[in-house]
């Protein structure tokens, strides 16, 4: 087995099957040196953008502490931060099965541009449109359209791993940003 860790910048990893994974900062991936048998499994801590090489005979699974994401061939982003009780999944392309790890709940099937959140209650909520800013850490581009300043500051702080404190009413809620 091999392990990759992204420290202060994103890290690209090429898997033995041709799949590609971009780890966000402070994220890690454990993966086999080869994928023998009938399945391909990797273990993720943190965030990763994943482009899976299609192989219908060998499903590809990403396991996190709380969730399992299974695909045949697609591109998606998994967000499972240590300081959060939620696991978020953003599907850019393809079809994905998403379920709580170690439960018998029926998995949710997601398709292009859907996103899902696995909550602490092990239930999954699905939204029909993906927040394009979820990819900000990978693309370096914010998509703004009448977004409150507070949301933009939270995204910038999260990406840059900095803390920022402001009083609840200190931000002008009518200040909306559009690019």
């Amino acid at each position: 087995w091999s392990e990759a860790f992204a420290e202060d910048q994103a890290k690209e990893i090429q898997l033995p099957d041709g799949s590609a994974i971009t780890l966000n900062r402070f994220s890690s991936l454990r993966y086999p040196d080869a994928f023998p048998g009938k399945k391909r499994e990797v273990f993720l801590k943190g965030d990763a953008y994943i482009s899976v090489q299609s192989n219908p005979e060998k499903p590809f699974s990403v396991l996190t502490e709380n969730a399992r994401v299974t695909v045949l061939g697609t591109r998606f982003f998994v967000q499972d931060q240590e300081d959060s009780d939620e696991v978020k999944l953003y599907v850019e392309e393809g079809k994905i099965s998403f379920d709580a790890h170690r439960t018998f709940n029926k998995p949710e099937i997601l398709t292009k541009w859907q996103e899902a959140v696995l909550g602490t209650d092990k239930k999954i909520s699905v939204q029909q449109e993906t927040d394009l800013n979820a990819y900000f850490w990978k693309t370096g581009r914010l998509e703004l359209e009448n977004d409150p300043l507070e949301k933009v500051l939270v995204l910038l702080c999260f990406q840059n791993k900095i803390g920022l404190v402001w009083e609840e009413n200190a931000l002008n809620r009518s200040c909306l940003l559009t690019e």
Side-chain angles (χ1 to χ4, degrees):
W1 284 76
S2 296
E3 188 160 4
F5 182 75
E7 293 183 17
D8 57 353
Q9 62 185 13
K11 181 174 187 168
E12 304 257 344
I13 300 156
Q14 192 74 29
L15 296 180
D17 68 342
S19 297
I21 296 182
T22 304
L23 291 176
N24 196 0
R25 298 172 344 141
F26 309 109
S27 299
S28 65
L29 183 77
R30 198 164 56 90
Y31 59 95
D33 297 324
F35 290 108
K38 296 187 183 233
K39 62 183 177 178
R40 300 173 288 168
E41 286 185 340
V42 298
F43 301 89
L44 172 68
K45 286 186 179 179
D47 304 343
Y49 174 83
I50 302 166
S51 179
V52 176
Q53 183 68 38
S54 182
N55 184 345
E57 303 301 315
K58 279 188 171 186
F60 187 96
S61 294
V62 177
L63 301 169
T64 73
E65 183 67 29
N66 298 302
R68 172 188 303 269
V69 179
T70 303
V71 300
L72 295 176
T74 190
R75 291 196 303 262
F76 61 98
F77 168 46
V78 178
Q79 187 177 45
D80 189 4
Q81 293 288 318
E82 284 186 41
D83 59 354
S84 173
D85 294 330
E86 297 179 332
V87 178
K88 295 181 180 179
L89 174 67
Y90 305 88
V91 180
E92 185 177 326
E93 183 178 286
K95 191 175 190 180
I96 293 181
S97 170
F98 184 49
D99 64 334
H101 197 36
R102 300 183 203 96
T103 68
F104 297 103
N105 295 347
K106 180 181 175 195
E108 291 286 340
I109 304 299
L110 283 82
T111 56
K112 185 175 183 173
W113 296 120
Q114 288 186 311
E115 74 177 67
V117 176
L118 172 65
T120 55
D121 59 0
K122 302 295 183 192
K123 293 192 183 340
I124 297 172
S125 62
V126 177
Q127 294 181 343
Q128 294 306 311
E129 290 192 25
T130 294
D131 178 5
L132 294 178
N133 289 325
Y135 297 94
F136 170 59
W137 67 272
K138 185 173 184 320
T139 64
R141 182 178 171 160
L142 281 174
E143 301 282 336
L144 304 175
E145 187 167 330
N146 292 324
D147 287 308
L149 176 60
E150 184 175 5
K151 176 184 176 183
V152 175
L153 289 174
V154 168
L155 280 168
L156 291 172
C157 288
F158 178 78
Q159 177 57 29
N160 294 294
K161 297 288 184 187
I162 59 171
L164 192 59
V165 179
W166 57 81
E167 292 183 27
E168 187 172 334
N169 294 322
L171 295 177
N172 182 347
R173 300 216 188 276
S174 65
C175 179
L176 302 177
L177 302 174
T178 301
E179 67 174 313

